[in-house]
Amino acid sequence: LSASLMIRAGHENVAIKAFGADVCEMAQAARLTNLVDIAAAALTISGRDRSEFHSDNEMIRAAFSTSSLPTILADTVGRTLTEAYVETTSGWKQFCHIGDAENFKTQTGVRPAAIASLEELGANGVIKHGTLDEEDTYTWNVDTFAKMLGVTRQTVINDDLGFIAQLSPMMGQAAGRSLLDLIWSTILGAQTANWFSAGNGNLATTSSELTVANLGTAVAAMRSQRDTQGFDLSIEPAVLVVCPALELTARALLNSSELLGTDGVNGNPVQGIVKNLIVEPRLSNSTRFTGTSTTQWYLFGAPMARPVTVGFLRGAQNPTVETADADFNTLGIQMRVFHDYGVALGDEKAAYKA
């Protein structure tokens, strides 16, 4: 029934991914042509027949009182919403460490640069203890972000699939935007907090536009980072992030086999030096964010280097959809969409801003 509803709403690709081609063929063969038919089929699951009721109005009211119809609606909304959410938020996982919180209390993360190398075991066989200072850790916590939507008896009678065809994906995109807004507002504010600074070896300001030489400087700076004991951290640059105005420049630098230099020599020493490119419009969106510009660009290490941590409550990386009865004066159900997450700056040695 969920597959039927998804297909009717124009999300056949989501239905096939969720349930498989065989179930979708069965759903199409069932010929449930509207929401009223689906409500009747949901009522049948509960052991009741459409013929018991004098009208569709009465039958739909009974269907809402079962667990079947609310479950089908929530499952359909949840899957279409999650599909849109995942499509909206794919890029951040290329450089953000994913944290897991058991509750809403403050969590403590450890910067990889704080972990010293193993030491040779002496003749006495005693293993030395490692220590962590406050400067070697960072804190983060999760908060809840939520919205509600309702499906009424009138929606079913009118066969109004807008809540699945349009509203559900839009809410998924909105949930994704909320997460990305928090990630990039945290990064854009990092220079103010001196996380990006010349002292940390991860900030370039004067004459630092995106060029072959300056990208090479950024890569060298990240590869040269050492811990407090002078050990090399061997951080591999993984992601270059630019605003839309710099996209063509970035693609030319990373993909071109040859670039004509000022000395007339062909060749591109930075071709493929960074595997992933993210074009992030928030970097230049001065309407909604502070610290923006059309010339800044960033380099990040891989998630293992923990430049940024994105933490979720109990591992739930996607939004959750739950149903409940609507208010007493409304026949239908309400759905709440919520997501628990938080963002924190991690190891500054795995990030570079120009």
Side-chain angles (χ1 to χ4, degrees):
L1 293 181
S2 293
S4 294
L5 195 49
M6 289 181 197
I7 292 169
R8 283 269 295 112
H11 295 294
E12 184 173 357
N13 61 322
V14 180
I16 292 174
K17 185 182 294 187
F19 304 112
D22 291 343
V23 171
C24 290
E25 286 180 11
M26 293 170 61
Q28 291 174 324
R31 298 189 182 281
L32 301 171
T33 59
N34 53 49
L35 275 172
V36 175
D37 289 342
I38 290 174
L43 196 60
T44 302
I45 293 175
S46 302
R48 307 193 63 182
D49 190 80
R50 190 171 187 169
S51 61
E52 297 178 32
F53 304 95
H54 298 293
S55 65
D56 285 344
N57 192 1
E58 185 180 338
M59 182 271 295
I60 292 167
R61 182 170 184 168
F64 270 122
S65 68
T66 69
S67 63
S68 300
L69 183 59
T71 299
I72 291 164
L73 294 174
D75 181 60
T76 305
V77 168
R79 291 182 190 274
T80 53
L81 184 151
T82 298
E83 182 78 6
Y85 168 81
V86 171
E87 288 181 1
T88 304
T89 61
S90 57
W92 64 270
K93 291 185 179 181
Q94 296 174 359
F95 68 95
C96 292
H97 164 71
I98 297 176
D100 188 11
E102 280 298 312
N103 49 50
F104 292 97
K105 296 179 181 179
T106 299
Q107 312 292 318
T108 300
V110 179
R111 295 182 174 91
I115 307 300
S117 299
L118 301 185
E119 298 181 43
E120 182 179 356
L121 195 64
N124 58 7
V126 176
I127 301 175
K128 295 181 180 179
H129 283 277
T131 59
L132 284 178
D133 298 324
E134 286 189 9
E135 64 183 29
D136 297 327
T137 62
Y138 60 95
T139 59
W140 58 277
N141 63 280
V142 298
D143 291 308
T144 302
F145 302 80
K147 281 281 187 182
M148 280 185 77
L149 61 88
V151 181
T152 65
R153 178 186 55 164
Q154 185 176 354
T155 299
V156 177
I157 292 175
N158 292 342
D159 195 30
D160 183 0
L161 292 170
F163 72 98
I164 297 172
Q166 298 177 14
L167 184 58
S168 177
M170 288 172 64
M171 289 186 70
Q173 292 170 348
R177 283 198 305 270
S178 297
L179 175 61
L180 290 175
D181 285 351
L182 183 57
I183 291 173
W184 288 105
S185 62
T186 300
I187 293 171
L188 286 168
Q191 187 173 346
T192 304
N194 289 324
W195 194 74
F196 287 114
S197 67
N200 286 334
N202 66 352
L203 177 66
T205 53
T206 306
S207 300
S208 60
E209 62 273 10
L210 186 57
T211 63
V212 169
N214 288 335
L215 180 56
T217 298
V219 170
M222 186 171 291
R223 292 188 191 277
S224 301
Q225 290 282 18
R226 299 186 175 102
D227 65 14
T228 54
Q229 300 180 66
F231 290 106
D232 293 301
L233 295 173
S234 303
I235 299 172
E236 189 74 18
V239 179
L240 175 65
V241 186
V242 300
C243 68
L246 293 178
E247 179 176 2
L248 295 184
T249 301
R251 292 193 183 280
L253 290 177
L254 297 180
N255 300 329
S256 298
S257 59
E258 292 190 355
L259 295 173
L260 183 61
T262 55
D263 55 2
V265 178
N266 289 334
N268 180 12
V270 296
Q271 181 187 11
I273 199 168
V274 177
K275 294 181 179 179
N276 301 303
L277 172 67
I278 294 177
V279 181
E280 179 48 64
R282 290 167 181 80
L283 298 186
S284 54
N285 183 359
S286 58
T287 302
R288 296 206 61 236
F289 300 91
T290 59
T292 61
S293 81
T294 58
T295 56
Q296 66 180 326
W297 51 277
Y298 294 81
L299 192 65
F300 293 102
M304 185 179 295
R306 302 194 180 197
V308 178
T309 289
V310 179
F312 298 94
L313 184 67
R314 297 176 181 173
Q317 295 185 32
N318 296 328
T320 299
V321 177
E322 292 183 342
T323 61
D325 291 336
D327 295 334
F328 186 76
N329 60 349
T330 303
L331 287 176
I333 60 171
Q334 293 183 128
M335 299 184 199
R336 57 189 181 194
V337 182
F338 63 92
H339 203 189
D340 304 304
Y341 55 82
V343 177
L345 301 170
D347 197 339
E348 70 278 356
K349 293 179 173 62
Y352 186 95
K353 177 181 179 178

